Amino acid sequence: MSVQRILRERFCHQRLPDRPVGLESQYKHLLELLRRTAVHGESNSVLIVGPRGAGKTMLLRCALRELLELQEVKQNVLQVHLSGLLQTDDRIALKEITRQLHLENVVGDKVFGSFAENLVFLLEALKRGDKSSSRPVFFILEEFDLFAHHKNQTLLYNLLDVSQSAQAPVAVVGLTCRLDVLELLEKRVKSRFSHRQIHLLSCMSFCQYLDAFRSELALPDDFPDSKFSQEWNLNVSELCEEKSVQEILQKHFNSCKDFRSLHLLLLLALTRVSVSNPTLRAVDILEASRMSSADSKANILHGLSVLELCLIIAMKHLNDIYEGEPFNFQMVHNEFKKFIQRKSHSIHNFEKPVVIKAFEHLLQLELIRPVDGGVCKVQREYQLMRLMLDHTQVMEALQRYPQCPTDVKQWAISAFG
C-alpha cells in the first residue's frame, strides 16, 4: 500500500518533484522573473511554450513553490489562475479575477464603462493600508492562445498594458503549446508584451528516457521498509536491462517522449502489483503498454451485435465497389440482403426496421458519420454516410469476437482481403 501511494502521487502529479528534471536553465529564468515582481515590484510578462506534457505547468508550480517559501512573498503576493478553456470571454474572466482576489464586496454594484476601468479599480483596491504601493499579482493564463480569440483581445491588452506601464507590480505568465502564438496577437497587444519566451522543447535521448523510467519507479531512501526498498529498486534496475522492456520503452519513446505518457504507462503497470505479486515484471510492462495503446474504436467493435458487424462488412464492400464514395442505408441494406440470400446459413433474415435500428446505433457510436454533418433534411434511409474504421480495426474485432459465425468471417475476408 505504501508503494502504491508513493508512486501514484508521483505519476498523478499530486506531488511536485524537488527540481524539474532537465529544465534547469528554464527554471532559473522563470524563478528570477517572478522573484523580481514579488520582491522588487518589477512588472514582467513571459510565455512558457512547449508541447503538451512537456512540463510547463510543473515548471511554473515548482517556481511558485520555491518563491512562496520566502515569508515576505508568501504574505504579499496574490495569484490569479485563468484558463482559456474555462474563461471563454472577458466578462467571465473578469468575474473570475474578482473572485480570486476576494474583491466581490469592494466591487459591489459599481458600474464600469470598460474592462480597463474595472481592472484598474481592482488593482487599486489591492493597495496596502498606507496606500503607498500595491500588492504584487501573478496572472497565470493557461491555454494562452485561446485568450487571443476573445473579442478585440481586451483581456490580454489590459493585462499587458498594466504590466508595461508599471501601474502596479504585475507578472503575466502565459502557458501555451502553440509556437506561433505571437502571430495571433494584435499589433497593439504584441507591442505591450515583453517578448520573453521560455521554450520547453524535448531533446531527450533514449538513454535519458531509460534513466527517467528507472528514477520514476525508484522508491525514496526514507521508505519505511529499507529491505523491501532495496529489493524493489534492484528489481527496477534489472527490468531496465531486459530486452523486452527496452523494446516496449523504445516504441513509446519513438511515438511520444513526454512524461505524461510515461506516467500513464507506469501507472497501468503499477495496478498489477499486489501482495501476491510484490514486484514489477516485464509482463506487467507489456500488458500496460497494450492497454495504453489500445484502440478505443476497436474496443467498441467487440461489443457490437453480429447484425451490426455484418452492416460494417457491407459498408466495406460498398467502399471497394464505389472506390470510397459515400453510401446510404438503402445501399447497405441491399448489400446485406445479398449476403443473406447467397452465402449465409447462420444469420437470421432481419426485418428492415431492426436493421435500421442497428444502423442508427452505429451512427450513435460514431463508427459512421453523415457526409453533410446531419444538416440536410433527407429521408434517413438515403442520407449519405462514411465509414470511420479501417481494415485492421475490423479484422482484429472479428478475430476476437466470441462465437462469430464462420460465414460472416469468410464474407469479411472477401471484403477486406
Side-chain angles (χ1 to χ4, degrees), residues 247-274:
E247 286 174 354
I248 294 165
L249 293 177
Q250 183 74 60
K251 178 185 168 187
H252 277 260
F253 176 77
N254 291 340
S255 63
C256 196
K257 297 176 176 62
D258 65 74
F259 278 92
R260 192 178 292 170
S261 63
L262 176 63
H263 285 157
L264 174 62
L265 176 72
L266 298 181
L267 190 62
L268 291 170
L270 185 65
T271 58
R272 297 172 66 85
V273 174
S274 60

Side-chain angles (χ1 to χ4, degrees), residues 198-247:
I198 298 173
H199 287 271
L200 275 62
L201 302 175
S202 179
C203 53
M204 193 188 300
S205 66
F206 180 66
C207 289
Q208 290 172 318
Y209 190 78
L210 208 57
D211 289 338
F213 172 83
R214 187 185 288 110
S215 63
E216 291 295 307
L217 278 174
L219 292 176
D221 296 333
D222 59 353
F223 189 75
D225 189 338
S226 58
K227 185 183 176 185
F228 180 82
S229 174
Q230 288 172 4
E231 289 175 358
W232 175 275
N233 291 345
L234 180 63
N235 175 66
V236 169
S237 296
E238 288 172 353
L239 266 180
C240 292
E241 303 301 321
E242 286 198 36
K243 188 179 178 183
S244 60
V245 173
Q246 286 190 4
E247 286 174 354

Side-chain angles (χ1 to χ4, degrees), residues 367-406:
L367 299 178
I368 56 175
R369 68 171 179 83
V371 172
D372 56 17
V375 176
C376 293
K377 292 183 180 180
V378 181
Q379 197 174 340
R380 60 180 179 174
E381 287 95 333
Y382 300 103
Q383 191 174 13
L384 291 176
M385 300 281 177
R386 285 194 190 278
L387 181 64
M388 306 305 292
L389 298 164
D390 61 27
H391 166 90
T392 53
Q393 289 172 318
V394 180
M395 288 310 294
E396 183 192 338
L398 283 167
Q399 296 301 326
R400 294 188 180 188
Y401 197 89
Q403 300 174 340
C404 183
T406 308

Side-chain angles (χ1 to χ4, degrees), residues 7-55:
L7 295 184
R8 282 186 181 185
E9 282 181 354
R10 192 181 294 170
F11 301 155
C12 297
H13 304 279
Q14 292 170 332
R15 181 178 294 175
L16 290 172
D18 295 333
R19 277 293 178 98
V21 181
L23 301 170
E24 289 77 13
S25 62
Q26 293 97 325
Y27 179 72
K28 187 178 177 182
H29 185 188
L30 179 62
L31 184 62
E32 179 59 23
L33 279 173
L34 296 178
R35 191 183 66 78
R36 294 211 301 259
T37 301
V39 177
H40 302 296
E42 177 188 312
S43 293
N44 281 303
S45 55
V46 63
L47 278 177
I48 305 174
V49 185
R52 299 198 184 279

Side-chain angles (χ1 to χ4, degrees), residues 108-320:
D109 297 325
K110 290 183 176 66
V111 178
F112 298 93
S114 68
F115 183 95
E117 288 175 15
N118 205 334
L119 184 64
V120 168
F121 176 80
L122 291 177
L123 294 173
E124 283 290 323
L126 297 174
K127 285 184 181 282
R128 293 199 185 102
D130 59 3
K131 296 187 178 181
S132 61
S133 58
S134 296
R135 294 176 67 179
V137 187
F138 293 159
F139 286 96
I140 294 147
L141 277 59
E142 298 263 5
E143 307 292 344
F144 180 86
D145 51 287
L146 296 181
F147 288 102
H149 298 300
H150 288 197
K151 186 180 179 182
N152 300 329
Q153 299 183 355
T154 308
L155 174 71
L156 294 182
Y157 172 77
N158 284 286
L159 287 179
L160 294 173
D161 187 54
V162 169
S163 72
Q164 190 195 46
S165 59
Q167 298 172 31
V170 166
V172 180
V173 183
L175 289 80
T176 180
C177 58
R178 288 193 60 165
L179 291 169
D180 64 342
V181 66
L182 289 182
E183 302 304 315
L184 302 175
L185 300 180
E186 293 178 4
K187 190 176 179 180
R188 65 183 189 132
V189 178
K190 197 185 294 187
S191 67
R192 282 160 175 75
F193 176 55
S194 68
H195 289 265
R196 291 191 185 94
Q197 293 187 56
I198 298 173
H199 287 271
L200 275 62
L201 302 175
S202 179
C203 53
M204 193 188 300
S205 66
F206 180 66
C207 289
Q208 290 172 318
Y209 190 78
L210 208 57
D211 289 338
F213 172 83
R214 187 185 288 110
S215 63
E216 291 295 307
L217 278 174
L219 292 176
D221 296 333
D222 59 353
F223 189 75
D225 189 338
S226 58
K227 185 183 176 185
F228 180 82
S229 174
Q230 288 172 4
E231 289 175 358
W232 175 275
N233 291 345
L234 180 63
N235 175 66
V236 169
S237 296
E238 288 172 353
L239 266 180
C240 292
E241 303 301 321
E242 286 198 36
K243 188 179 178 183
S244 60
V245 173
Q246 286 190 4
E247 286 174 354
I248 294 165
L249 293 177
Q250 183 74 60
K251 178 185 168 187
H252 277 260
F253 176 77
N254 291 340
S255 63
C256 196
K257 297 176 176 62
D258 65 74
F259 278 92
R260 192 178 292 170
S261 63
L262 176 63
H263 285 157
L264 174 62
L265 176 72
L266 298 181
L267 190 62
L268 291 170
L270 185 65
T271 58
R272 297 172 66 85
V273 174
S274 60
V275 176
S276 57
N277 175 35
T279 56
L280 273 176
R281 303 162 298 172
V283 67
D284 297 331
I285 305 294
L286 179 64
E287 182 61 20
S289 174
R290 190 190 65 76
M291 289 170 67
S292 66
S293 58
D295 188 330
S296 58
K297 282 190 176 174
N299 289 339
I300 291 173
L301 287 175
H302 301 157
L304 296 182
S305 66
V306 175
L307 170 59
E308 288 162 347
L309 269 181
C310 287
L311 294 183
I312 285 174
I313 297 166
M315 293 169 198
K316 176 58 182 169
H317 266 295
L318 291 169
N319 273 347
D320 291 344

Side-chain angles (χ1 to χ4, degrees), residues 78-96:
L78 296 166
Q79 298 179 44
V80 176
H81 293 260
L82 303 175
S83 170
L85 294 170
L86 300 175
Q87 283 75 49
T88 52
D89 63 42
D90 291 342
R91 183 182 56 81
I92 298 171
L94 192 59
K95 195 173 180 181
E96 184 62 16

